[in-house]
Amino acid sequence: MFTDATHTPAGTDDDEAISTEIALAMYRTMSTARKFEKRAYDLFLQNLVKGTTHLGIGQEAVAAGVAAAMRKDDYSFITYRGHNHLIARGTPLPPLMAELLGRDNGLMHGKGGSMHLIDVERGILGSYAIIGAQLVIANGAAWSAQYRGSGQVTVCFFGDGATNIGAFHEALNFAVIWKLPVVFVCENNLYMEYTRIDGVTAVAHPAADRASAYNLPSILIDGNDPDEVYLTAKRAVDQARAGGGPSLIEAVTYRHGGHSRADPAKYRDPEEVRDWLTRDPLPAYRSRLVASGVREAVLDAIDAEIITQVDEATEQAKAGAWPRPERLHTNVWSDGGATWRN
Ligand SMILES: Cc1ncc(C[n+]2csc(CCOP(=O)(O)OP(=O)(O)O)c2C)c(N)n1
């Protein structure tokens, strides 16, 4: 946990227990995301993943913890590093894998790829490649939910790099003024592409240090601890749902690999990488669960089930047809086609 005089992590009271059901769900999410992304990497090396892909290996605890605090009909806005977040909200693996391979049986019929994932059915209103773009659009979804009185909360993820973009500041200001039911989650993995965030940012904690400028409490948490992420997110989501307005959470984490699969990440200090690998959220959480009484066999069974699911998703994706050219103009407009324009 991160504590200092100016940052008070929310949701870390000793009296707040996490049920075994939620803990196992978070373990399942993290393990699924890890195995799915490792497979996606293998497929990328075989030239089967079309376009580039940005992996969130090492960052799974943020996706797992936040999703566990959300309602099924809540909205997620994510970045191009978004596989973890779709998995956390329950997107089935076969169409997700097929989308990465650009196949017609993909989530978006192969037209989006790894960087542009949408799963409206599960409230995923997009992964965005334009840094910061999703923050203002997330405000729109939150504003709509507020207007409709639907009780839905919007959670918007972004990287540390986005905090130096104008849209971050505009979105926070607007969200506070309108008391929007939105939770902003900065996944601070210390790097924006190939540049360390502290080399180009005037404050130490790019999101948390700026919260007070928008009349928000400063919340800085350990993004590798799913329990802390869950408890913090739950408070923020509950507050938003109750009409208490937005929150800004900075979750500190680390991507194990490079920015994208084309990046060997040689610019990082090997000592730093080694240090963060010892804080890998997945084995750490597994050890914690075992120490709290969960049998290893239960976790092994979950892992075995996930491996089967990833294998099946891979086979289904590889067997998928290529999108037909006629598909090009479908799903572009809200009516599902371009007919009305003509
Ligand atoms: C508006 C805009 N400017 C620049 C880029 C190029 N770009 C792609 S990824 C990236 C770094 C983003 O870093 P961060 O927000 O920390 O996300 P992370 O990759 O660490 O998850 C940049 C600058 C972009 N996509 N959009």
Side-chain angles (χ1 to χ4, degrees):
M1 196 213 309
F2 295 83
T3 44
D4 63 34
T6 49
H7 304 95
T8 312
T12 50
D13 294 352
D14 289 336
D15 58 353
E16 287 194 62
I18 293 172
S19 70
T20 307
E21 190 190 348
I22 288 176
L24 288 179
M26 293 195 292
Y27 178 80
R28 182 183 285 274
T29 297
M30 289 198 293
S31 185
T32 307
R34 179 69 58 99
K35 291 175 177 53
F36 178 91
E37 288 210 306
K38 282 192 162 176
R39 180 63 54 84
Y41 179 43
D42 291 345
L43 296 172
F44 181 84
L45 293 180
Q46 292 168 40
N47 201 23
L48 286 168
V49 171
K50 299 300 165 193
T52 187
T53 180
H54 304 76
L55 303 181
I57 291 179
Q59 303 186 195
E60 298 90 346
V62 182
V66 175
M70 294 171 73
R71 207 165 79 178
K72 271 199 166 1
D73 63 341
D74 287 340
Y75 296 131
S76 300
F77 284 78
I78 49 184
T79 76
Y80 48 80
R81 202 181 299 288
H83 310 154
N84 295 350
H85 295 289
L86 277 92
I87 289 168
R89 297 296 312 279
T91 301
L93 302 188
L96 186 55
M97 192 65 92
E99 187 59 38
L100 268 51
L101 269 59
R103 306 300 170 105
D104 194 45
N105 54 341
L107 201 54
M108 300 154 69
H109 300 294
K111 291 194 287 192
S114 168
M115 289 176 84
H116 309 105
L117 300 167
I118 297 174
D119 184 356
V120 176
E121 211 181 307
R122 289 167 194 84
I124 308 282
L125 298 192
S127 51
Y128 293 76
I130 303 299
I131 307 301
Q134 74 275 29
L135 281 93
V136 282
I137 305 171
N139 269 356
W143 200 7
S144 150
Q146 185 187 59
Y147 179 76
R148 289 180 284 115
S150 68
Q152 291 162 290
V153 171
T154 296
V155 177
C156 181
F157 299 92
F158 51 95
D160 39 281
T163 64
N164 287 335
I165 291 268
F168 166 79
H169 301 273
E170 296 168 30
L172 277 171
N173 184 57
F174 187 81
V176 172
I177 290 295
W178 288 82
K179 260 192 155 190
L180 296 180
V182 58
V183 178
F184 297 105
V185 182
C186 174
E187 291 187 82
N188 182 0
N189 60 15
L190 315 192
Y191 285 85
M192 39 182 296
E193 274 186 325
Y194 324 117
T195 306
R196 257 190 83 103
I197 188 70
D198 58 8
V200 291
T201 307
V203 291
H205 310 293
D209 284 348
R210 286 148 163 172
S212 64
Y214 299 100
N215 204 20
L216 290 170
S218 189
I219 303 175
L220 181 70
I221 60 169
D222 181 353
N224 279 13
D225 181 341
D227 290 348
E228 188 172 336
V229 173
Y230 166 73
L231 292 170
T232 310
K234 183 146 185 1
R235 285 197 182 174
V237 166
D238 289 352
Q239 172 189 306
R241 207 178 313 285
S247 301
L248 173 62
I249 299 169
E250 178 174 336
V252 182
T253 182
Y254 200 72
R255 57 166 156 78
H256 288 183
H259 168 68
S260 67
R261 286 322 321 167
D263 169 24
K266 292 272 194 254
Y267 45 84
R268 301 192 302 192
D269 176 3
E271 191 64 38
E272 174 191 283
V273 178
R274 266 197 300 278
D275 179 44
W276 275 95
L277 287 178
T278 65
R279 293 188 246 169
D280 186 338
L282 199 52
Y285 201 53
R286 189 184 169 97
S287 303
R288 185 185 297 173
L289 289 178
V290 171
S292 74
V294 176
R295 285 185 299 118
E296 295 256 18
V298 170
L299 301 173
D300 289 344
I302 290 174
D303 286 341
E305 198 187 313
I306 294 167
I307 288 169
T308 307
Q309 285 171 1
V310 171
D311 286 345
E312 283 171 7
T314 306
E315 289 318 308
Q316 286 183 39
K318 280 179 171 175
W322 296 109
R324 296 184 312 278
E326 308 88 87
R327 276 248 190 247
L328 200 59
H329 298 293
T330 60
N331 309 108
V332 175
W333 305 96
S334 59
D335 66 354
T339 335
W340 66 271
R341 298 191 80 213
N342 306 318

